Amino acid sequence: MSDLVRLSAAELASALAAGDVSSVEVTRAHLDRIGAVDSAVHAFLHVDPVGALAQAAAADARRADDDDFPELLGVPVAVKDILTTKGLPTTAGSRILDGWAPPYDATVVTRLRKGGQPILGKTNMDEFAMGSSTEHSAFGPSHNPWDLDRIPGGSGGGSAAAVSAFEAPLAIGTDTGGSIRQPGAVTGTVGVKPTYGGVSRYGLIALASSLDQAGPVARTVLDAALLHDVIGGHDPLDSTSIDTQWPSMAAAARAGDVAGLRVGVVKELGGEGYQVGVQARFEETLTLLVDAGAELVEVSCPHFELALAAYYLILPSEASSNLAKFDAMRYGMRVAPEGVALPSAEEVMRATREAGFGDEVKRRIILGTFALSSGYYDAYYGQAQKVRTLISRDFEAAFAQADVLVSPTAPTTAFRIGEKVDDPLAMYLNDIATIPANLAGVPGMSLPSGLAREDGLPTGFQILAPALQDARLYAVGAALEAMLVDRWGGPLLDMAPELTVED
Amino acid sequence: MTTTELVAYDDAVARYDPVMGLEVHVELSTVSKMFCGCATVFGAEPNTQTCPVCLGLPGALPVTNKKAVESAIRIGLALNCEIAEWSRFARKNYFYPDMPKNFQTSQYDEPIAFGGHTDVVVDGSTVRVEIERAHMEEDTGKSLHVGGTTGRIHGASHSLVDYNRAGIPLVEIVTRPIEGAGANAPAVARAYVAHLRELLRGLSVSDVRMDQGSLRCDVNLSLRSSPQAPLGTRSETKNVNSLRSVERAVRHEISRQAALLDAGQRVVQETRHWHEDTGMTTSGRSKEQAEDYRYFPEPDLLPIAPERDWVDELRATLPELAAVRRARVQIELGFTDLEMRDVLGAGALPLIEATVAAGASPASARKWWLSELARRANDAGMTLEDLPITPAQVAGVQALVDAGHVNDKLARQVLDGVLAGEGEPEEVVAARGLGVVSDDTALSAAVDRAIEANPDVAAKIRAGKAAAAGALIGAVMKEMRGQADAGRVRELVIEKLT
């Protein structure tokens, strides 16, 4: 393995700035790494060596011509396959979009291109981001680099696997109920779900519009902050994008400090139902915070118990409507019904949706269609929205007592591929600690807190902040990360097994 | 399909009390679409005014057109509605190939305007129509069904879809049930739509072209045994797209439903198609098996909470309302109710006003626009507004008539010349040599020749039979190929012979 792929994005940026290495070299090193390990990891659905190297060459030229350039200029990135990329296949992990090349870039992608960051390719995910394991990808699951028989989390398992397997220094994920944070937790990487409205959703293929948020996936808190600064900020193309002047996340990470910080431990997120090793690492991490001068406060958010139920009404409702557009009329897959000589448009729609969507997608479309039906709307969708309001109030009350809230990110470490795929409820429980943040729109981060004693797999530590206070996550996360790395004697990923490299 | 004979209209309204509800869709004439920056030009090459947003491509998001919201608020204000302090878009979910997202972004229980009314003049008396709501939504694409005989989807071999129309802003104006119109219901319906058209034109928010679909009407109608009886089951006749059709459709539905009720059958709650050619409606899809639209608030858009200051400003700058304005203009122009109705029906009021402003008398302006020019527009398949002649030019033609430079017959040729692009009326007169000869020397000589050639007639006139002068005038006109000033010729004849 080339040393270049082990460098963090910040280190690569320094090396590029110093002229020690070119973006073409960095990009080629990552493409080589993808070639060597991705048949085992399957983090990518599509790799774009030609495009990435051309963008790298352009970045090198720009650096030579111009003194004023973005910090991450020339640092490559992988993009979850749910964001549109002009001319590059975008499937959202679904057969129904197999072969579709969008005519436009998502705003996040536009900002990466403006920042001169080569796009290595598109990463694997659960179909339309529905899942916590990537097993619902129509193109086969991704594998956790810590143990290839295990899942890398989901829905953004591809982005987390790519970063943890050193195939990319940075990746973009999206988080509707935990799809950035839970994969971060189970792969030993850092993932951030920004404040709802902090990063444009334009070009993000919608799962649940009121919950979706794109964010950075990285190996360090600072790297995540640097990427957040590139992709964040107001976008007039997204009506829900917040028009405000955001502080630099990278500056917050560099200034990281927890002295005097009031840390709220959420009573409802932890303890029973959480794997012993996950809980143990969480508690050890709390003592580190106390040692560094933070104050622990126990807070209660009683309505969080209802979050999962509300989420599984709101999400399928919105998804059932968002996914209606996949009808074979304008793009993507088209299937003719069998045995029909002159099928009507409706018959083609039906046959295509039957063939093009996987079981989990169909399950949620059916759930959502039911929840929105006349006569049921008030009892289901309406009631879930009320719960959502109560959860927001719980957050408000908790943030009156604490500067940040913390919990384990996911209740377990990575489970085995196939273990939960036929048990939707067990699968849904993976997101129990991450969902409240999406319902309330507040930002959240997961960072590695160690390895569970019983299985030697990574555990995640979640930090939540009030809406708009994303910078606080980076300040706290960076300080905590420094203490943890110090304790481990190096980054957690150094303890990951070497992947067998193909020649 | 029922085979029941229709009931004669007079009998139907003698036995039943009709109740109507009218839903009018207005396409706003904004430069860009409701939720994206695409152009809205009518008649453009199919699928050239589209983008990821209005094509509903994966990942695309809507952004509300503020100008469309402004137009919706102004319409609401002009209809005396309350403007909601907080209003939301909702998704109306159903599958159809010309709907790119398979949901229409519309408004459901939180419309921008509600609870208004407007006063409509029908045959000289005023009818108040209550407005339930006016809400914003986006238009769908347009399907063209190819290979059938009817242009409808049934029997077609394939369909083409043009998404240029998808996403054009619409305002839907819904009345409360209109009761008490009785036998006058068809006239009230027509007058309401005509009134709305004038009002919207006055606001400059829409082209209000029923022939191009920028104003579309759905007619809900039910019958009950008496005004005290509960409302009957209604039918909803879709896309009734001319004033005349609105009137006819109401009339037809009254006769049709009366026949069903007379036969002891029930009226089915359904949508019905209007057939312009036969003046009949046929059954569409039944509401009883209708889709559940699964409305829910649109999560991709922020609620609309118009600032009160903004609403007040829009209210203060509303143009004079159509009804008030029409009453004033009718008095100013001195038109009778019947004349006014014809003028409004032809959509000629603004043109006539402009012609009068350019110097013509109201009567002459009305005459030119409603007879000669209406006929030419009709022959060319155009509207009056589209004719290549301005009100000032029409006034110019009339000025030539008033000055005696041309007579009515020649004036029609002048109009032809202006319409053919030959220039201003005076230029046409000069170029075509249409000027009336009123030069006394030339006329006097011609009159002398006519007297000489018709001694009998001349004798009669000398004997006091002035009425016989017509024959001599005719002879002079013939000689001068119609270009003589007939009045002056008469004067000369009388002068010379008495």
Side-chain angles (χ1 to χ4, degrees):
Chain A
M1 174 166 33
S2 156
D3 286 345
L4 284 177
V5 301
R6 308 243 8 150
L7 297 181
S8 71
E11 289 164 345
L12 285 171
S14 301
L16 286 161
D20 296 342
V21 68
S22 71
S23 175
V24 168
E25 289 169 297
V26 171
T27 303
R28 198 183 297 281
H30 285 96
L31 289 167
D32 289 347
R33 175 71 177 169
I34 293 169
V37 303
D38 205 54
S39 58
V41 178
H42 193 225
F44 285 87
L45 291 178
H46 185 82
V47 182
D48 183 27
V50 175
L53 287 170
Q55 292 153 29
D60 287 333
R62 181 168 160 195
R63 193 181 292 275
D65 282 358
D66 195 348
D67 291 337
D68 186 26
F69 43 78
E71 187 162 352
L72 292 180
L73 175 67
V75 177
V77 58
V79 176
K80 190 179 181 182
D81 204 31
I82 200 166
L83 289 147
T84 59
T85 40
K86 189 173 178 179
L88 211 59
T90 301
T91 65
S94 182
R95 289 249 174 257
I96 211 160
L97 276 176
D98 203 1
W100 182 58
Y104 77 107
D105 277 331
T107 296
V108 165
V109 173
T110 302
R111 290 180 179 181
L112 291 174
R113 292 197 199 282
K114 270 200 188 135
Q117 295 192 245
I119 293 171
L120 295 166
K122 307 296 289 290
T123 59
N124 196 18
M125 55 183 285
D126 288 291
E127 185 176 5
F128 289 110
M130 297 181 191
S132 307
S133 69
T134 71
E135 292 168 286
H136 294 304
S137 167
F139 307 105
S142 297
H143 300 263
N144 192 324
W146 288 82
D147 176 349
L148 293 172
D149 292 333
R150 292 179 186 264
I151 58 100
S155 66
S159 285
V163 169
S164 62
F166 301 100
E167 296 174 83
L170 297 169
I172 303 294
T174 64
D175 189 314
T176 305
S179 289
I180 289 175
R181 290 163 288 159
Q182 181 259 6
V186 301
T187 57
T189 55
V190 178
V192 176
K193 181 203 94 73
T195 296
Y196 183 79
V199 176
S200 171
R201 290 187 299 115
Y202 190 76
L204 192 176
I205 299 176
L207 165 56
S209 312
S210 71
L211 302 165
D212 298 341
Q213 190 60 203
V217 174
R219 288 193 295 267
T220 71
V221 172
L222 175 59
D223 283 3
L226 288 165
L227 186 54
H228 191 145
D229 284 337
V230 173
I231 62 175
H234 181 243
D235 177 16
L237 297 179
D238 174 1
S239 305
T240 61
S241 160
I242 300 169
D243 191 359
T244 186
Q245 198 61 47
W246 295 88
S248 162
M249 306 299 158
R254 286 180 170 125
D257 185 19
V258 295
L261 185 79
R262 294 174 304 158
V263 176
V265 180
V266 184
K267 199 173 92 183
E268 288 78 7
L269 301 179
E272 202 189 330
Y274 286 71
Q275 192 179 316
V276 174
V278 169
Q279 188 68 28
R281 289 300 179 207
F282 173 68
E283 282 163 16
E284 281 168 28
T285 309
L286 291 181
T287 58
L288 274 185
L289 285 168
V290 173
D291 292 349
E295 176 198 344
L296 293 191
V297 190
E298 192 190 67
V299 299
S300 175
C301 296
H303 298 99
F304 282 16
E305 282 177 13
L306 304 172
L308 193 69
Y311 176 81
Y312 275 101
L313 287 167
I314 292 168
L315 177 142
S317 296
E318 293 184 9
S320 71
S321 175
N322 283 330
L323 269 55
K325 60 166 63 96
F326 301 101
D327 64 358
M329 293 297 113
R330 292 164 301 280
Y331 46 79
M333 185 189 208
R334 177 176 286 180
V335 174
E338 269 180 59
V340 184
L342 263 178
S344 68
E346 284 75 8
E347 286 166 329
V348 172
M349 286 180 184
R350 209 175 294 132
T352 303
R353 289 167 69 82
E354 170 61 30
F357 287 141
D359 288 347
E360 182 62 22
V361 174
K362 286 177 191 158
R363 181 181 295 131
R364 296 201 198 181
I365 289 175
I366 292 167
L367 269 173
T369 303
F370 182 73
L372 288 176
S373 298
S374 100
Y376 297 100
Y377 179 92
D378 290 340
Y380 293 129
Y381 188 79
Q383 201 68 12
Q385 291 291 8
K386 287 180 193 158
V387 169
R388 195 171 184 173
T389 305
L390 295 174
I391 285 168
S392 291
R393 287 192 193 145
D394 279 0
F395 268 115
E396 278 168 37
F399 283 126
Q401 297 172 262
D403 302 311
V404 293
L405 305 181
V406 296
S407 75
T409 308
T412 69
T413 56
F415 48 90
R416 288 181 192 285
I417 290 173
E419 194 179 321
K420 295 185 180 175
V421 74
D422 294 322
D423 186 351
L425 281 180
M427 189 75 89
Y428 295 172
L429 281 168
N430 272 288
D431 296 331
I432 192 127
T434 45
I435 281 172
N438 298 84
L439 288 171
V442 304
M445 169 187 284
S446 176
L447 75 162
S449 56
L451 302 177
R453 217 163 267 130
E454 58 272 25
D455 55 18
L457 292 167
T459 60
F461 185 86
Q462 176 175 237
I463 311 171
L464 304 170
L468 300 172
Q469 303 303 322
D470 303 48
R472 195 179 295 170
L473 295 179
Y474 290 103
V476 176
L480 183 54
E481 178 186 59
M483 292 184 269
L484 286 162
V485 169
D486 196 40
R487 166 184 282 192
W488 299 325
L492 190 69
L493 275 168
D494 285 356
M495 297 178 220
E498 282 289 326
L499 292 168
T500 313
V501 172
E502 288 181 21
D503 295 321
Chain B
M1 173 99 200
T2 175
T3 52
T4 316
E5 294 286 318
L6 297 180
V7 169
Y9 181 75
D10 291 342
D11 295 341
V13 289
R15 288 201 287 279
Y16 299 101
D17 179 43
V19 178
M20 296 183 293
L22 298 166
E23 295 172 18
V24 172
H25 285 90
V26 187
E27 253 185 27
L28 300 180
S29 52
T30 48
V31 175
S32 57
K33 291 187 179 180
M34 187 77 217
F35 299 116
C36 63
C38 285
T40 57
V41 179
F42 180 81
E45 188 75 14
N47 296 310
T48 54
Q49 294 175 167
T50 60
C51 73
V53 177
C54 58
L55 285 177
L57 293 190
L61 293 173
V63 176
T64 306
N65 180 341
K66 191 177 175 199
K67 191 77 193 168
V69 176
E70 181 185 297
S71 293
I73 293 174
R74 293 177 71 233
I75 290 170
L77 291 171
L79 292 169
N80 304 297
C81 288
E82 304 244 3
I83 303 305
E85 291 187 12
W86 201 80
S87 148
R88 272 200 294 196
F89 285 101
R91 292 187 184 178
K92 180 181 184 181
N93 294 286
Y94 64 100
F95 283 82
Y96 202 78
D98 64 18
M99 273 229 310
K101 298 169 291 184
N102 285 322
F103 62 79
Q104 181 186 31
T105 307
S106 179
Q107 294 197 288
Y108 181 49
D109 51 357
E110 297 158 300
I112 184 80
F114 56 93
H117 63 82
T118 192
D119 291 331
V120 180
V121 178
V122 187
D123 293 335
S125 57
T126 299
V127 175
R128 173 156 291 191
V129 175
E130 304 285 345
I131 304 296
E132 169 92 30
R133 57 190 276 153
H135 73 249
M136 297 178 280
E137 60 187 29
E138 58 179 340
D139 212 341
T140 62
K142 216 176 198 168
S143 295
L144 181 68
H145 304 296
V146 184
T149 49
T150 59
R152 290 187 191 277
I153 195 164
H154 185 74
S157 67
H158 64 284
S159 303
L160 301 170
V161 188
D162 176 7
Y163 292 106
N164 282 353
R165 200 181 70 178
I168 289 191
L170 294 177
V171 169
E172 180 175 345
I173 301 164
V174 182
T175 67
R176 289 186 50 72
I178 302 170
E179 305 180 61
N184 228 6
V188 169
R190 178 192 172 119
Y192 167 72
V193 178
H195 166 86
L196 209 51
R197 194 175 65 169
E198 280 307 304
L199 180 142
L200 295 165
R201 187 180 279 138
L203 292 171
S204 305
V205 291
S206 168
D207 298 337
V208 288
R209 294 278 298 260
M210 294 188 87
D211 58 326
Q212 291 183 357
S214 56
L215 190 78
R216 313 198 280 268
C217 185
D218 298 343
V219 175
N220 292 286
L221 192 122
S222 66
L223 297 183
R224 56 186 172 184
S225 52
S226 76
Q228 289 73 41
L231 291 176
T233 305
R234 68 189 160 86
S235 65
E236 183 178 0
T237 304
K238 291 277 190 192
N239 293 322
V240 188
N241 291 337
S242 73
L243 291 180
R244 185 164 163 265
S245 295
V246 169
E247 190 165 2
R248 288 168 76 210
V250 170
R251 219 179 148 86
H252 171 75
E253 272 303 291
I254 289 173
S255 294
R256 186 186 70 85
Q257 291 188 18
L260 288 172
L261 297 173
D262 277 0
Q265 297 176 25
R266 64 190 190 99
V267 174
V268 180
Q269 187 176 343
E270 61 182 357
T271 56
R272 297 186 67 84
H273 299 300
W274 167 249
H275 301 277
E276 189 80 49
D277 46 354
T278 57
M280 315 256 277
T281 63
T282 56
S283 178
R285 97 189 111 81
S286 164
K287 280 272 179 183
E288 285 163 7
Q289 34 177 301
E291 286 175 84
D292 175 352
Y293 292 123
R294 292 173 283 121
Y295 282 100
F296 73 103
E298 167 59 276
D300 285 330
L301 291 168
L302 301 181
I304 293 168
E307 300 269 337
R308 288 297 102 179
D309 287 354
W310 185 39
V311 174
D312 290 343
E313 186 190 316
L314 292 177
R315 193 193 314 273
T317 54
L318 274 188
E320 191 180 7
L321 289 189
V324 178
R325 172 183 153 74
R326 213 156 51 204
R328 176 179 60 77
V329 171
Q330 185 177 346
I331 292 165
E332 280 174 11
L333 298 180
F335 290 165
T336 65
D337 285 352
L338 196 64
E339 286 169 345
M340 194 66 182
R341 184 187 144 160
D342 288 346
V343 167
L344 293 174
L349 188 59
L351 296 167
I352 289 173
E353 283 188 85
T355 307
V356 171
S361 70
S364 62
R366 185 172 61 80
K367 181 192 73 179
W368 287 119
W369 284 107
L370 292 198
S371 58
E372 283 304 316
L373 291 168
R375 187 168 57 72
R376 282 167 171 77
N378 195 37
D379 290 349
M382 301 170 105
T383 65
L384 288 176
E385 281 160 336
D386 290 341
L387 284 176
I389 187 166
T390 64
Q393 287 170 327
V394 174
V397 171
Q398 182 59 36
L400 290 174
V401 174
D402 292 342
H405 294 317
V406 295
N407 54 27
D408 274 8
K409 185 178 155 209
L410 291 171
R412 284 196 283 275
Q413 293 182 43
V414 177
L415 282 183
D416 287 337
V418 173
L419 288 168
E422 292 167 22
E424 294 302 311
E426 295 80 4
E427 293 168 339
V428 175
V429 168
R432 290 195 174 193
L434 297 178
V436 172
V437 179
S438 50
D439 165 21
D440 270 7
T441 321
L443 288 181
S444 183
V447 169
D448 288 343
R449 281 194 290 278
I451 290 170
E452 207 177 303
N454 300 282
D456 301 351
V457 179
K460 280 182 189 161
I461 298 169
R462 281 198 190 90
K465 286 186 119 180
L472 291 184
I473 296 167
V476 172
M477 293 302 275
K478 193 174 169 190
E479 184 188 327
M480 317 240 3
R481 295 196 312 280
Q483 296 184 16
D485 178 344
R488 185 65 192 141
V489 173
R490 168 177 291 274
E491 283 169 16
L492 287 172
V493 167
I494 304 298
E495 242 171 57
K496 287 176 194 283
L497 297 180
T498 53

